[in-house]
Amino acid sequence: MAECRVCFRHCQIAEGKLGFCGARTARNGVVEAYNYGRITGLALDPIEKKPLSRFYPGSRILSVGSFGCNLRCPFCQNHDISWSEEAKRWADTAETLDPDALTRLAEETRSRGNIGIAFTYNEPLIGYEFVRDTARLAKARGLRTVIVTNGTAELSVLEELQPFIDAMNIDLKGFTDDYYRRVLGGDRQQVMAFIEEAVRHCHVELTTLIVPGENDSEEEMRALVSWVSRFREPDGESLPLHISRFFPRFHMQDRRATEVGKIYRLADIARETLDYVYTGNC
Ligand code: SF4
């Protein structure tokens, strides 16, 4: 058995088997990324779609994803590459692209408004070695680098990545340990520690998906923004927060989409404390 120390789960992985996330394996007693360079999605997206609203607005970014996830959000919109049975098949079928080839593709699309590479779609940190190697090359070639993440990783992972990353969108999916543990299979404390450290190194925006009956109280939003307001960008502004609407998907079909009025109300509450609050999927 080899212990993976990328996230709070600390999986014990038997030789040749996969960890909980389906993206890491053990070879010769050492844990490595099984999904290294294995690509399930590649698209030139508007930067606002990440979402990032205050980082090169109006630009586009080459967005790349692999497979696997260390959370179990029942409403996942990317379940085909994250943690469904279908997603597991990518372990055998995903095509590979090495960091140099991906970086060259990013350079070739500069003329179409591309500013760099975004690691997104599935959870990038569970395959952080590919992110690190690609981002290092991309930075050396004058490209911008972005991670879209659930923030569920040890700070040692962030330490390896931070020299090469310009911006992150990090999910802060709610503000109770119970919601993270019971509904998402996550660890809010690890996410909070990750955010706290990330803001010291790069531009950070946060995203909260509001799920009816779970994390939609005004009280919880007030607690969340109160914590977020302690962090400042170098220009003194608070971190941008994206408040997004839930739609019934995947394993969570027992409730309706979040009411638009609820999103607007929570956004108004957040604006009492934060400088930039955006609503999504409304
Ligand atoms: S990154 Fe994957 S293998 Fe490693 S501890 Fe987390 S879930 Fe387990």
Side-chain angles (χ1 to χ4, degrees), residues 211-254:
V211 181
E214 297 291 353
N215 63 350
D216 60 344
S217 74
E218 296 184 7
E219 185 188 17
E220 186 167 337
M221 179 55 68
R222 286 188 201 283
L224 186 150
V225 297
S226 166
W227 182 77
V228 170
S229 68
R230 69 173 65 181
F231 305 113
R232 296 284 148 182
E233 291 280 295
D235 60 6
E237 310 272 27
S238 57
L239 305 189
L241 174 66
H242 300 259
I243 299 177
S244 232
R245 197 172 165 222
F246 158 91
F247 288 95
R249 292 272 185 279
F250 194 35
H251 292 317
M252 193 177 264
Q253 309 260 356
D254 62 342

Side-chain angles (χ1 to χ4, degrees), residues 45-52 55 61-66 68-70 78 117-126 131 145-152 161 165-171 173 194 202-207 242:
D45 286 340
I47 194 95
E48 285 78 7
K49 204 174 156 186
K50 297 305 96 194
L52 287 174
F55 183 77
I61 191 154
L62 188 65
S63 301
V64 60
S66 184
C69 191
N70 51 355
N78 290 335
I117 301 174
F119 302 90
T120 177
Y121 303 142
N122 76 314
E123 174 47 51
L125 300 180
I126 56 176
V131 175
T145 54
V146 166
I147 294 178
V148 181
T149 175
N150 62 31
T152 304
L161 293 175
I165 300 300
D166 294 307
M168 294 190 200
N169 185 295
I170 307 174
D171 283 338
K173 291 173 186 274
F194 190 92
C202 68
H203 174 76
V204 171
E205 302 193 15
L206 302 176
T207 297
H242 300 259

Side-chain angles (χ1 to χ4, degrees), residues 31-218:
V31 177
E32 61 180 32
Y34 187 72
N35 68 352
Y36 188 98
R38 307 188 67 193
I39 307 302
T40 62
L42 189 64
L44 190 57
D45 286 340
I47 194 95
E48 285 78 7
K49 204 174 156 186
K50 297 305 96 194
L52 287 174
S53 295
R54 297 189 54 77
F55 183 77
Y56 293 88
S59 66
R60 300 208 282 176
I61 191 154
L62 188 65
S63 301
V64 60
S66 184
F67 59 83
C69 191
N70 51 355
L71 295 189
R72 288 295 179 264
C73 307
F75 44 75
C76 183
Q77 307 232 2
N78 290 335
H79 52 82
D80 53 329
I81 56 167
S82 62
W83 65 275
S84 60
E85 285 306 310
E86 192 184 351
K88 290 179 189 159
R89 288 203 283 273
W90 287 107
D92 300 319
T93 58
E95 307 249 341
T96 55
L97 205 54
D98 67 35
D100 181 56
L102 179 55
T103 309
R104 271 192 281 113
L105 260 180
E107 287 185 295
E108 284 162 20
T109 45
R110 270 181 160 140
S111 58
R112 293 164 57 197
N114 183 32
I115 60 163
I117 301 174
F119 302 90
T120 177
Y121 303 142
N122 76 314
E123 174 47 51
L125 300 180
I126 56 176
Y128 76 91
E129 297 92 336
F130 181 72
V131 175
R132 177 197 60 204
D133 297 350
T134 308
R136 181 190 282 129
L137 271 182
K139 289 291 289 173
R141 295 175 188 176
L143 294 161
R144 301 286 170 262
T145 54
V146 166
I147 294 178
V148 181
T149 175
N150 62 31
T152 304
E154 300 284 354
L155 296 184
S156 55
V157 172
L158 178 56
E159 196 178 323
E160 284 215 34
L161 293 175
Q162 59 87 3
F164 315 113
I165 300 300
D166 294 307
M168 294 190 200
N169 185 295
I170 307 174
D171 283 338
L172 181 56
K173 291 173 186 274
F175 212 62
T176 65
D177 290 339
D178 173 67
Y179 176 64
Y180 258 90
R181 202 168 29 233
R182 178 176 49 81
V183 178
L184 315 176
D187 180 337
R188 182 177 67 120
Q189 300 301 325
Q190 181 158 70
V191 177
M192 290 166 71
F194 190 92
I195 291 169
E196 197 161 352
E197 186 60 23
V199 299
R200 298 180 56 235
H201 302 289
C202 68
H203 174 76
V204 171
E205 302 193 15
L206 302 176
T207 297
T208 305
L209 180 84
I210 302 298
V211 181
E214 297 291 353
N215 63 350
D216 60 344
S217 74
E218 296 184 7

Side-chain angles (χ1 to χ4, degrees), residues 3-13 18-25 31 69-71 125-127 152:
E3 182 175 333
C4 176
R5 302 188 69 85
V6 166
C7 82
F8 74 98
R9 293 183 184 281
H10 285 206
C11 295
Q12 299 288 334
I13 308 178
L18 295 172
F20 178 88
C21 57
R24 303 187 69 77
T25 189
V31 177
C69 191
N70 51 355
L71 295 189
L125 300 180
I126 56 176
T152 304

